[in-house]
């Protein structure tokens, strides 16, 4: 048996913090060596941090990366272990995202990334070029300082692999795991048995199964050992990298790291049997045929050393494990919690201030901060000295004190503020207070009516009359203005209290203001510009209302915040209009659409890339039988009208934790303009034409079964109903929305 001890890791790196990143890399190598590993893989761009963005364009960034790598190579960290270390470098005046293979204080090979991530949250083509030359390994001249320090002038650079005396090792980098023609297919036909993948993959709800399936599939068809390393934590932006490093062998996961953790360094090891890889491949007739007929020879670097250990009685390869997947409710609890903790400890802030209305959204944020406090206490109890040191500093503990329960810690780092008015109900005021007590926060109840009326007196002085709410006979303009004043007063008051409340309690530092608008409200624009959503951070800004309500039900039990169940059951309301016996303001009535409908619109708009007409066509099929074509047309036009009118609000949207695949956040993820013709004259005219044609021809549509649509591709080009589009091509994208 050829047994090889391998190590992969999750590292909580911080963009441009070279000291922290270098410390974590060294510690991960030390832990791997202590466990007996002979091969260690780290995350993508681990020296610099993945999220440096335009800092990658600075020569200093590359220079500092070389300096850090030199420090690793001139010490004993790489003695007796093969390390793949991620960093940017420049070759012939072109910048590449690379894995640098090091062993015994030498660089064996540099492997540049060949397929760059350039969609969604990723913009790698802005900073790097993809390596396309596959024929030969080129000669890379090391920088003079590096060459002198390690007594090595040059190193092979390009697409290739390392051929040791007893095993062959090759790299893939992040996106290359998901490509249609991955490097591993060709490499496996050339005898490569171990693949290392350095990744910088962010968290998104329900995404982990896609990643794990890809890792398992990577070795199902070709066999082999696949080692996946990832960043973990907030490295300086909206993204949370969710770790979950793992090791797979012949389609089975044999080791899985944590997905959400406060640890800076987590090392995962496994003992793998390379003879099992040979046996697996040899048992596949198709693999044998393709490998024997393979005509493409991949260049390699020959390393006359052994990595494998000899078989010893009682030594067994690591057995497969059952992969752990978190429920979406758990992802909402743990992902934003870890993100907030990283932001809090790295920003220098002393805590958070949360405007808590007693509604579902702000209560979700309070529960997430409460969950964060619980995670901190658990890690302190487990003996994590880094978490303890951060908690002592942030909580400003003195004289040997330290946090011993989550409520006590929350009392030091979280203020919740109910900013009520004459329009606020006793129920929401009570729910906010009870939840704050359950979490452990310091709660304040502030009345904003005096500030609100001060603004109205100014208005009265200018125009000689007071604006009225709609329920009192006022116009839409008056009604909207009165609501906006309340919302914006709360934003100013929240920032004022974030400064003065700590001062009142003799606490130093500043508090970060937390916002609480959800992804559906952002998509619809159902928020006031520069209101309480205009905060420093928003941990739920990319989470749907439906997922939040599910989270509240889960958290009421599993986080031990029972008041959340009552909060979830209450109908969503902004409480910005007066409550009357025959009128109570409701969010879905105000929006003219339900949160469930908003979630459907969001997925069709972003994930399936539907314009107004295509969305109408898909929804005609999805809602057939419950809504007429003209009713569907009105709903779609209503959504796109308000989407266009309010798109400008995304330009000032609070930086939000990224969690949902249809987020409208315009900083990076959803790059669309913010000035639209909200009448959509051409598109809406087409929708009206299709709706009219469909309704005049309804009998014909009803005679066409869904089965006939699938069978007959010509339906796509007949009639104007839009129904045929759903049944052909790539299938029905609205299924399962």
């Amino acid at each position: 048996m050829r047994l090889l001890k391998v190590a992969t890791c999750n590292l909580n790196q911080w963009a441009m913090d070279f000291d922290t990143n270098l410390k974590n890399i060294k510690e991960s190598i030390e832990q791997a060596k202590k466990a007996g590993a002979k091969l260690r893989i780290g995350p993508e761009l681990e020296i610099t941090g993945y999220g440096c963005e335009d800092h990658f364009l600075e020569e200093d960034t590359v220079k500092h990366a070389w300096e850090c790598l030199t420090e690793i190579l001139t010490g004993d960290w790489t003695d007796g272990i093969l390390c793949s270390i991620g960093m940017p470098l420049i070759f012939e005046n072109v910048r590449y995202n690379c894995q640098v293979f090091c062993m015994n204080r030498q660089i064996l090979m540099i492997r540049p990334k060949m397929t760059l991530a350039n969609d969604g949250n990723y913009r790698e083509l802005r900073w790097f070029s993809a390596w396309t030359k596959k024929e030969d390994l080129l000669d890379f001249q090391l920088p003079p300082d590096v060459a002198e320090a390690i007594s090595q002038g040059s190193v092979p650079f390009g697409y290739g692999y390392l051929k040791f005396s007893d095993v062959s090792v090759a790299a893939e980098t992040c996106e290359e795991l998901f490509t249609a023609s991955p490097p591993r297919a060709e490499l496996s036909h050339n005898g490569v048995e171990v693949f290392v993948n350095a990744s910088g993959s962010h968290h998104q709800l329900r995404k982990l199964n896609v990643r794990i399936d890809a890792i398992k599939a990577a070795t199902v068809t070709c066999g082999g050992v696949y080692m996946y390393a990832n960043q973990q934590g907030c490295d300086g932006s909206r993204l949370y990298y969710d770790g979950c490093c793992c090791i797979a062998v012949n389609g089975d996961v044999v080791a899985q790291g944590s997905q959400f953790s406060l640890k800076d360094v987590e090392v995962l090891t496994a003992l793998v049997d390379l003879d099992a890889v040979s046996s697996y491949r040899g048992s596949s007739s198709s693999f044998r045929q393709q490998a024997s007929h393979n005509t493409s020879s991949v260049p390699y670097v020959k390393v006359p050393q052994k990595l494998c250990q000899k078989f010893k009685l009682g030594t067994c390869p690591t057995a497969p494990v059952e992969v752990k997947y978190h429920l979406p409710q758990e992802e909402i609890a743990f992902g934003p919690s870890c993100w907030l903790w990283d932001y809090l400890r790295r920003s220098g802030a002393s805590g958070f201030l949360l405007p808590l209305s007693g509604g579902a959204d702000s209560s979700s944020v309070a529960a997430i901060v409460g969950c964060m406090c619980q995670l901190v206490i658990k890690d302190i109890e487990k003996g994590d000295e880094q978490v303890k040191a951060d908690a002592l500093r942030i909580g400003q503990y003195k004289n040997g004190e330290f946090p011993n329960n989550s409520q006590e810690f929350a009392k030091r780092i979280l203020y919740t503020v109910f900013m009520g008015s004459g329009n606020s109900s006793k129920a929401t005021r009570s729910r906010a207070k009870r939840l704050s007590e359950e979490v452990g926060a310091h709660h304040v109840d502030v009345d904003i009516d005096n500030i609100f009326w001060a603004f109205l007196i100014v208005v009265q002085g200018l125009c000689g009359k007071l604006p009225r709410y709609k329920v009192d006979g006022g116009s839409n303009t008056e009604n909207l203005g009165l609501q906006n004043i309340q919302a914006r007063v709360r934003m100013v008051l929240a920032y004022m209290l974030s400064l003065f409340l700590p001062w009142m309690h003799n606490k130093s530092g500043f508090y970060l203001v937390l916002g609480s608008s959800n992804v559906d409200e952002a998509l619809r624009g159902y928020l006031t510009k520069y209101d309480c959503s205009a905060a420093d951070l928003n941990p739920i800004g990319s989470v749907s209302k439906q997922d939040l309500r599910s989270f509240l039900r889960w958290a009421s039990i599993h986080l031990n915040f029972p008041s959340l169940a009552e909060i979830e059951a209450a109908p969503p309301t902004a409480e910005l209009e007066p409550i009357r016996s025959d009128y109570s303001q409701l969010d879905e009535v105000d929006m003219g659409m339900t949160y469930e409908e908003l979630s459907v619109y969001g997925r069709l708009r972003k994930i399936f890339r539907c314009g107004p007409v295509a969305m109408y066509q898909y929804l005609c099929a999805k809602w057939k039988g419950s809504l007429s074509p003209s009713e569907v047309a009105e709903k779609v036009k209503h959504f796109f009208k308000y989407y266009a009118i309010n798109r400008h609000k995304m330009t000032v949207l609070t930086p939000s934790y990224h969690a949902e695949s249809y987020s409208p956040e315009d900083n990076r993820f959803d790059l669309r303009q913010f000035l639209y013709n909200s009448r959509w004259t051409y598109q809406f005219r087409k929708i009206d034409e299709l709706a009219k044609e469909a309704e005049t021809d309804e009998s014909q549509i009803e005679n066409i079964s869904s089965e006939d649509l699938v069978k007959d591709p010509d339906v796509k080009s007949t009639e104007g109903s839009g129904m045929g589009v759903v049944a052909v091509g790539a299938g029905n994208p609205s299924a399962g929305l």
Side-chain angles (χ1 to χ4, degrees), residues 83-94:
C83 295
S84 174
I85 299 174
M87 61 178 280
L89 57 81
I90 297 173
F91 179 52
E92 296 180 347
N93 299 313
V94 180

Side-chain angles (χ1 to χ4, degrees), residues 430-714:
S430 173
R431 289 196 293 264
K433 187 175 187 298
R434 278 187 287 131
L435 175 59
S436 183
E437 290 171 349
E438 291 167 4
V439 171
H442 189 110
H443 187 65
V444 178
D445 193 320
V446 179
D447 194 301
I448 68 168
D449 278 333
N450 288 338
I451 308 173
F452 173 67
W453 277 102
F455 278 91
L456 293 189
I457 291 172
V458 173
V459 174
Q460 185 181 38
L462 289 172
C463 59
K465 57 183 179 180
L466 283 172
R468 295 176 297 169
Y469 289 101
K470 194 170 184 178
V471 294
D472 296 328
S475 64
N476 286 329
T477 299
E478 294 170 80
N479 197 62
L480 181 61
L482 289 169
Q483 294 183 70
N484 286 351
I485 291 172
Q486 296 170 74
R488 289 180 172 128
V489 160
R490 287 174 171 142
M491 184 271 288
V492 175
L493 187 58
Y495 273 99
M496 185 191 77
L497 292 174
S498 72
L499 293 171
F500 288 126
L501 282 176
W503 169 73
M504 287 169 54
H505 293 96
N506 297 316
K507 294 181 180 179
S508 60
F510 63 97
Y511 275 49
L512 296 165
V513 178
L514 296 180
S516 57
S517 61
N518 62 63
V519 68
D520 294 325
E521 291 170 348
L523 177 66
R524 164 62 172 73
Y526 188 65
L527 54 98
T528 303
K529 207 171 185 179
Y530 308 114
D531 68 351
C532 282
S533 63
D536 293 312
L537 295 172
N538 183 359
I540 66 165
S542 188
V543 183
S544 72
K545 190 76 165 189
Q546 289 176 292
D547 281 335
L548 285 175
R549 301 194 77 156
S550 178
F551 163 70
L552 289 174
R553 293 192 294 271
W554 175 88
S556 67
I557 299 171
H558 294 88
L559 296 181
N560 196 28
F561 302 146
S563 64
L564 292 178
E566 181 184 337
I567 291 169
E568 187 278 327
T573 173
E575 291 195 337
L576 293 171
E577 296 182 65
I579 300 172
R580 299 285 187 264
S581 58
D582 60 346
Y583 177 77
S584 180
Q585 185 180 24
L586 296 173
D587 289 353
E588 292 183 331
V589 174
D590 277 0
M591 292 190 297
M593 59 191 75
T594 66
Y595 282 107
E596 183 179 2
E597 289 171 345
L598 259 174
S599 185
V600 173
Y601 299 148
R603 286 181 166 84
L604 287 174
R605 181 197 69 92
K606 177 65 178 176
I607 302 173
F608 298 105
R609 299 166 294 280
C610 288
V613 176
M615 185 181 293
Y616 162 77
Q617 292 171 320
Y618 286 130
L619 291 179
C620 270
K622 180 177 176 62
W623 292 339
K624 182 181 178 182
S626 58
L627 294 173
S628 69
S630 62
E631 289 173 324
V632 174
E634 288 307 309
K635 283 183 174 292
V636 171
K637 291 191 292 182
H638 184 71
F639 164 71
F640 273 100
K641 172 186 174 182
Y642 282 96
Y643 165 79
I645 288 173
N646 292 310
R647 177 64 181 171
H648 66 95
K649 295 180 181 179
M650 296 304 97
T651 64
V652 296
L653 194 68
T654 296
S656 303
Y657 179 96
H658 177 85
E660 183 54 76
S661 55
Y662 67 90
S663 169
E665 182 269 312
D666 84 324
N667 176 266
R668 176 188 300 177
F669 186 71
D670 187 26
L671 302 182
R672 289 171 170 84
Q673 73 269 32
F674 58 85
L675 179 61
Y676 284 88
N677 181 348
S678 61
R679 294 185 297 275
W680 299 86
T681 52
Y682 184 88
Q683 294 93 328
F684 284 5
R685 185 171 69 250
K686 294 291 291 185
I687 290 175
D688 289 339
E689 291 171 359
L690 290 170
K692 183 178 180 181
E693 189 174 349
E695 294 197 333
T696 57
D697 208 14
E698 190 116 30
S699 59
Q700 180 178 347
I701 295 175
E702 291 174 354
N703 290 332
I704 303 176
S705 68
S706 59
E707 183 178 354
D708 293 327
L709 286 171
V710 173
K711 290 179 180 177
D712 185 3
D714 291 335

